[in-house]
């Protein structure tokens, strides 16, 4: 039998959390909507661990150099590199216990605290700084426990079955792509940005063909912004394929097929698109196997799913987003059997909600993921990233 965990102060033993069970770290953990207040990142009674360095102190790339940055998990130049602790534990604020704010460390950008000064929560038992509350606009509400200040203990309370692949078939695991206010889901925007970084790295900036259905309908525009068009396709701008005519190609980006924010093509159309398919538990890839499989991350470990014995290319996707793409529910206004009389249409069929603008990936989620992939050091992807910077930041960097 497994038991729920609690985290206690490593100095005095005061319990700092409610009983918790571990889940995979959400892929949108560091990426929220700009100038927006967000709900808690974690579900109640759960925690996750960030294996990479995160939080302060931050050091500029020019000071640390490529080798030191690579040891921190960053493989391409960025403005600053985190030298914070590895294996920080994130929980929902409502699951914290016996902690008090350290008022002189509660700086923030706008309407909350952002953790810029380091731990801002102290143990109520001994006063040691043990955690960081973050809830400023653009951030998911979180409490981050410092790994050297806390210790994990068993609560003695029995835990339920750990999350597994079977959970992805449950309707409640699916994450709809649209928020209640009619805008695109912030979780989807971040998840697509992360997945696109993996897709760019796997294909080395080659064009791709998406499977018909929800994948093409929901992800097609985003993929068209970040990868070259297929032969005969038109460049894609932020307003869709018809938004702007194609402009002249950037001569310095001859090997990079990127469409910039203004819709101009930054490189030639490349041949031989990579085929992309959706696969996962209960959803097997088509035959022959597509070049790349979009697969879910395990809800407990975060590891990508693979078909048994398969060593081909995969791109991991947020399990809730993948579950919606694989099991979107009813998608046809026609009856399952038989037909409707001529001229008769169903009036009880709700069309899926869609915002007026296409789904746009979270650009920071895309870039932050791309620089953490060792493949970014390849010359082709280095040129791709340079062209990407010129597209999103026309002024000199």
């Amino acid at each position: 039998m497994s038991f729920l965990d609690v985290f206690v102060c490593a100095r005095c033993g005061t319990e700092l959390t409610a009983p918790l069970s571990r889940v995979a770290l959400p892929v949108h953990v560091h990426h929220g909507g700009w100038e927006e207040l967000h709900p808690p990142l974690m579900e109640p009674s759960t925690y996750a661990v960030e294996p990479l360095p995160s939080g302060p102190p931050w050091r500029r790339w020019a000071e640390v150099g490529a080798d030191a940055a690579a040891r921190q998990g960053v493989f391409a130049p960025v403005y600053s590199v985190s030298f914070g602790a590895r294996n920080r534990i994130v929980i929902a604020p409502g699951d914290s216990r016996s902690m008090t704010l350290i008022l002189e460390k509660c700086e923030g950008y706008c309407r909350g605290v952002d953790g810029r000064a380091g731990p801002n929560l102290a143990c109520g038992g001994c006063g040691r700084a043990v955690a960081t509350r973050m809830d400023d606009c653009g951030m998911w509400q979180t409490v981050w426990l410092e790994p050297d200040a806390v210790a994990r203990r068993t609560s003695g309370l029995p835990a339920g079955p750990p999350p597994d692949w079977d959970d992805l078939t449950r309707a409640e695991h699916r994450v709809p792509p649209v928020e209640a206010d009619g805008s695109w889901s912030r979780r989807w925007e971040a998840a697509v940005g992360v997945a696109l970084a993996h897709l760019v790295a796997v294909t080395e900036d080659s064009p791709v063909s998406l499977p018909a259905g929800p994948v093409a309908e929901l992800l097609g525009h985003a993929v068209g912004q970040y990868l070259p068009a297929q032969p005969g396709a038109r460049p894609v701008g932020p307003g869709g394929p018809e938004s702007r005519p194609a402009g002249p190609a950037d001569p310095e980006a001859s090997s990079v097929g990127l469409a910039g924010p203004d819709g101009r093509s930054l490189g030639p159309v490349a041949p031989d698109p990579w085929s992309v398919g959706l696969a996962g538990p209960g959803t097997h890839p088509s035959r022959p196997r597509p070049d790349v499989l979009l697969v879910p991350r395990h809800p407990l470990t975060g590891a990508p799913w693979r078909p048994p014995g398969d060593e081909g290319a995969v791109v991991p996707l947020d399990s809730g987003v993948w579950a919606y793409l694989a099991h979107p529910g009813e998608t046809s206004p026609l009856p399952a059997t038989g037909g409707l009389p001529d001229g008769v249409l169903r009036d009880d069929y709700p069309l899926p909600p869609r915002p007026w603008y296409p789904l746009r990936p979270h650009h920071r989620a895309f870039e932050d993921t791309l620089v953490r992939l060792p493949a970014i050091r390849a010359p082709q992807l280095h040129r791709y990233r340079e062209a990407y910077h010129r597209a999103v930041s026309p002024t000199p960097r």
Side-chain angles (χ1 to χ4, degrees), residues 138-223:
M139 296 179 172
W140 301 93
Q141 294 186 41
T142 56
V143 167
W144 289 89
L145 304 174
E146 296 299 322
D148 61 347
V150 301
R152 181 168 59 91
R153 300 283 186 265
T154 180
S155 69
L157 298 175
D164 206 347
W165 292 123
D166 292 342
D167 293 352
L168 275 61
T169 61
R170 303 200 325 260
E172 57 268 27
H173 194 85
R174 304 170 198 160
V175 177
V178 179
E179 303 278 11
D181 65 0
S183 63
W184 288 108
S185 162
R186 303 299 176 264
R187 180 170 166 179
W188 268 69
E189 290 173 338
V192 172
V194 171
L196 275 173
H198 285 273
L199 187 61
V200 167
V202 164
T203 64
E204 295 185 328
D205 183 33
S206 298
V208 299
S209 60
L210 300 178
V215 174
E217 294 167 7
L218 289 166
L219 307 186
H221 179 270
V223 170

Side-chain angles (χ1 to χ4, degrees), residues 33-38 109-113 135-139:
W34 181 247
E35 298 285 358
E36 295 180 20
L37 292 176
H38 291 303
Y109 165 76
C110 188
R111 292 181 284 181
V113 292
D135 57 15
D136 209 347
C137 30
M139 296 179 172

Side-chain angles (χ1 to χ4, degrees), residues 9 12-14 16 97-100 121-131:
C9 175
C12 70
T14 297
L16 302 176
R97 302 287 186 269
S98 303
M99 288 187 272
T100 59
L121 289 172
C123 169
C126 65
R128 180 181 184 179
V130 292

Side-chain angles (χ1 to χ4, degrees), residues 27-114:
V27 299
H28 55 290
V29 55
H30 302 298
H31 308 294
W34 181 247
E35 298 285 358
E36 295 180 20
L37 292 176
H38 291 303
L41 171 77
M42 303 300 296
E43 293 293 326
S45 302
T46 65
Y47 74 94
V49 178
E50 169 61 276
L52 298 172
S54 63
W58 296 84
R59 297 174 61 187
R60 294 187 178 182
W61 176 276
E63 299 172 3
V64 303
D67 291 341
R71 289 193 291 271
Q72 300 300 106
V74 179
F75 301 100
V78 293
Y79 179 76
S80 59
V81 178
S82 171
F83 278 77
R86 296 176 184 267
N87 299 316
R88 297 171 79 213
I89 302 105
V90 61
I91 66 173
D95 285 327
S96 62
R97 302 287 186 269
S98 303
M99 288 187 272
T100 59
L101 283 169
I102 304 172
L103 297 181
E104 60 270 23
K105 291 193 172 183
C106 287
E107 295 95 332
Y109 165 76
C110 188
R111 292 181 284 181
V113 292
D114 60 13

Side-chain angles (χ1 to χ4, degrees), residues 287-378:
R287 297 297 180 187
R289 183 198 191 277
D291 298 315
V292 183
L293 297 179
L294 290 176
V295 300
R297 297 174 182 265
H298 193 279
L300 175 60
T301 68
W305 180 89
R306 279 188 177 276
D310 184 275
E311 297 297 331
V314 298
V315 167
L317 191 60
D318 177 301
S319 64
V321 172
W322 180 93
Y324 184 91
L325 292 172
H327 310 288
E330 184 182 358
T331 58
S332 173
L334 298 176
T337 60
L340 293 174
D342 291 341
V344 175
L345 298 176
R346 283 179 58 176
D347 61 2
D348 61 344
Y349 180 75
L351 294 175
R354 294 289 184 268
W356 60 269
Y357 57 95
L359 176 64
R360 295 168 185 159
H362 194 294
H363 74 95
R364 291 304 311 173
F366 172 79
E367 173 132 2
D368 290 352
T369 303
L370 192 63
V371 299
R372 288 190 176 277
L373 299 176
I376 191 62
R377 294 179 288 194

